[in-house]
Amino acid sequence: MPELPEVEVVRAGLEPAVSGATVRAVDVLDERALTRHLGTGAEFEARLVGRRIRSAARRGKFLWLPLDEHGGVDEALVAHLGMSGQLLLRAPGAPRERHERIRLEVEHPHHGELSVVFADQRTFGSLAIDALVATPDGRPGGRGSDRPAVPSQVQHIARDPLDPAFSDAAFRAALARKASAVKRVLLDQTVTSGIGNIYADEALWAARIHPETPALALSSRAVTRVLGEVRVVLEKALAEGGTSFDAQYVNVNGQAGYFAHSLNAYGRTGQPCPRCGRPIVRVGFMNRSSHYCPRCQRLTAVAG
DNA sequence: GGAATAACCTGGATGC
DNA sequence: TGCATCCAGGTTATTC
């Protein structure tokens, strides 16, 4: 599933191909891929054709391509991959992808013509054209952006733990006032972004913290450990190209990542914990699953 | 206002 | 073999 590392791999793949490119044509095949766009497919197409893409930026799981100003309006093409979305680079005229929803034909001054394909099996992902608004802290909007702006629909999303402008103090303060389970807080994109079910389970396993521990019950050292392990697991996954299951996530060239081989808890129900050998258990949590080691991650072991 | 839950969606796995 | 059901999970609207 596309979480921060997967989205960052896509962003990094898109950046050299689309920065400076001009959109020549847009084909919306399925308007369900525009659920975050305020307008019709035809309007989306008309508004995008002729625009020049400046760069590729990301905050958490949101990706956006800032566009040259048009009529005094500063805006971007925003993408969210949802659970199964893919952004693929293809040669012009390439055959339709399975579950292809939208295709952009772009022309780059150095690389020539290229197709940018948005494919999405489960249609939880979407594209949208959205206005850019100033960041409250005046810092760059996210990775790949040197401008202090984010799309309006990304305003409420917190910075991610790999963002140089991420505030450890604000994260600590948020945990200290929430009685919810720490895993729920890690998944709350308004507290910290980019973490999904896989990396929440992995970071909590590494930090030896039970996913249902109340956030405010964590000691200062435990919070430090969680945040440190979140960063370690995200950076390691990024280095390995992300986590792929059943080809649900691929980079812009359609290639899978390798991090699934490095998972210690997620998806390993019944298999021995790599640390103590006790079988990993799976429990229902927030309409999904939590995987943890019942020996290493005890509900009472929150101090230190 | 904060927290918890349901709904959205499709395809693969599983059970009968 | 074919059909029905379950499961995966990010975001948001709704409910408590």
Side-chain angles (χ1 to χ4, degrees), chain A residues 80 83 124 266 282 289:
Chain A
H80 194 291
M83 285 180 58
F124 279 18
Y266 181 87
R282 169 185 167 275
S289 299

XYZ file of all heavy atoms in Angstrom, chain A residues 80 83 124 266 282 289, chain C residues 7-12:
182
model
N -3.334 11.669 -5.006
C -3.276 10.769 -3.852
C -3.484 9.366 -4.395
O -4.435 9.114 -5.128
C -4.326 11.109 -2.804
C -4.054 10.424 -1.487
N -4.173 9.057 -1.327
C -3.608 10.900 -0.297
C -3.833 8.739 -0.082
N -3.485 9.836 0.557
N -5.185 3.395 -2.001
C -4.648 2.081 -1.639
C -3.940 1.400 -2.785
O -3.065 0.567 -2.586
C -5.778 1.168 -1.172
C -6.261 1.506 0.189
S -7.544 0.389 0.629
C -6.688 -1.161 0.471
N -9.620 4.360 -4.800
C -9.549 5.221 -3.617
C -8.617 6.407 -3.880
O -8.627 7.382 -3.153
C -9.011 4.451 -2.411
C -10.028 3.607 -1.714
C -11.212 3.263 -2.340
C -9.809 3.158 -0.435
C -12.156 2.489 -1.693
C -10.745 2.373 0.230
C -11.922 2.030 -0.400
N 4.358 -6.845 10.410
C 3.206 -6.727 9.510
C 3.103 -7.939 8.578
O 4.074 -8.331 7.927
C 3.302 -5.442 8.674
C 2.104 -5.296 7.758
C 0.944 -4.676 8.201
C 2.128 -5.818 6.472
C -0.170 -4.575 7.394
C 1.020 -5.722 5.653
C -0.122 -5.105 6.117
O -1.218 -5.015 5.291
N -2.207 -11.294 15.235
C -2.943 -10.295 14.472
C -4.274 -10.058 15.171
O -4.993 -10.999 15.496
C -3.196 -10.794 13.045
C -4.165 -9.979 12.222
C -4.414 -10.649 10.876
N -5.552 -10.081 10.193
C -6.814 -10.445 10.391
N -7.089 -11.392 11.258
N -7.785 -9.870 9.730
N -6.096 -4.395 10.520
C -5.382 -5.340 11.377
C -4.160 -4.709 12.032
O -3.528 -3.830 11.456
C -4.907 -6.532 10.543
O -6.003 -7.199 9.985
P -13.132 -11.419 7.592
O -12.554 -12.205 8.700
O -14.126 -10.357 7.862
O -11.942 -10.779 6.753
C -10.966 -11.626 6.176
C -10.089 -10.815 5.245
O -10.798 -10.565 4.016
C -9.713 -9.450 5.825
O -8.316 -9.414 6.048
C -10.134 -8.443 4.758
C -10.412 -9.300 3.526
N -11.517 -8.825 2.664
C -11.291 -8.674 1.283
O -10.175 -8.909 0.837
N -12.312 -8.257 0.496
C -13.514 -8.012 1.025
N -14.477 -7.612 0.213
C -13.758 -8.164 2.424
C -12.741 -8.571 3.196
P -7.689 -8.272 6.978
O -6.623 -8.913 7.780
O -8.767 -7.522 7.642
O -7.003 -7.310 5.919
C -5.975 -7.806 5.070
C -5.759 -6.837 3.935
O -6.862 -6.934 3.029
C -5.755 -5.376 4.392
O -4.417 -4.998 4.722
C -6.236 -4.642 3.161
C -7.032 -5.692 2.379
N -8.468 -5.438 2.315
C -9.329 -5.251 3.358
N -10.571 -5.055 2.988
C -10.518 -5.111 1.607
C -11.496 -4.971 0.605
N -12.782 -4.748 0.853
N -11.103 -5.080 -0.687
C -9.807 -5.295 -0.944
N -8.793 -5.453 -0.093
C -9.222 -5.349 1.181
P -4.190 -4.028 5.955
O -2.743 -4.024 6.193
O -5.123 -4.373 7.041
O -4.632 -2.620 5.375
C -3.926 -2.068 4.264
C -4.581 -0.764 3.855
O -5.903 -1.033 3.368
C -4.732 0.237 5.005
O -4.545 1.537 4.486
C -6.184 0.066 5.412
C -6.812 -0.186 4.047
N -8.126 -0.816 4.045
C -8.674 -1.611 5.007
N -9.878 -2.031 4.701
C -10.133 -1.485 3.458
C -11.278 -1.583 2.624
O -12.325 -2.199 2.814
N -11.113 -0.869 1.441
C -9.993 -0.147 1.106
N -10.018 0.473 -0.062
N -8.912 -0.049 1.890
C -9.054 -0.740 3.031
P -3.395 2.470 5.069
O -2.163 1.984 4.470
O -3.508 2.594 6.529
O -3.763 3.878 4.423
C -3.530 4.102 3.029
C -4.244 5.368 2.604
O -5.646 5.070 2.376
C -4.214 6.489 3.633
O -4.134 7.727 2.926
C -5.536 6.343 4.383
C -6.461 5.743 3.326
N -7.415 4.749 3.823
C -7.195 3.778 4.759
N -8.235 3.011 4.962
C -9.194 3.508 4.090
C -10.525 3.079 3.850
O -11.139 2.144 4.382
N -11.160 3.857 2.885
C -10.569 4.911 2.226
N -11.321 5.546 1.334
N -9.319 5.327 2.438
C -8.705 4.583 3.380
P -4.158 9.109 3.756
O -3.375 10.040 2.940
O -3.816 8.867 5.169
O -5.674 9.572 3.688
C -6.259 9.792 2.409
C -7.744 10.017 2.550
O -8.362 8.831 3.077
C -8.143 11.157 3.484
O -8.762 12.146 2.689
C -9.103 10.524 4.495
C -9.500 9.228 3.802
N -9.853 8.096 4.694
C -11.082 7.486 4.538
O -11.899 7.865 3.727
N -11.310 6.440 5.380
C -10.454 5.927 6.335
O -10.773 4.977 7.021
C -9.178 6.602 6.445
C -8.190 6.132 7.446
C -8.945 7.639 5.629
P -9.190 13.552 3.314
O -9.041 14.538 2.225
O -8.540 13.753 4.611
O -10.757 13.346 3.576
C -11.559 12.803 2.543
C -12.948 12.517 3.081
O -12.945 11.279 3.835
C -13.503 13.591 4.026
O -14.861 13.784 3.711
C -13.351 12.950 5.399
C -13.610 11.502 5.055
N -13.092 10.510 6.035
C -13.851 9.386 6.274
O -14.912 9.175 5.728
N -13.300 8.518 7.189
C -12.104 8.660 7.868
O -11.724 7.810 8.661
C -11.363 9.862 7.554
C -10.059 10.096 8.233
C -11.895 10.718 6.672
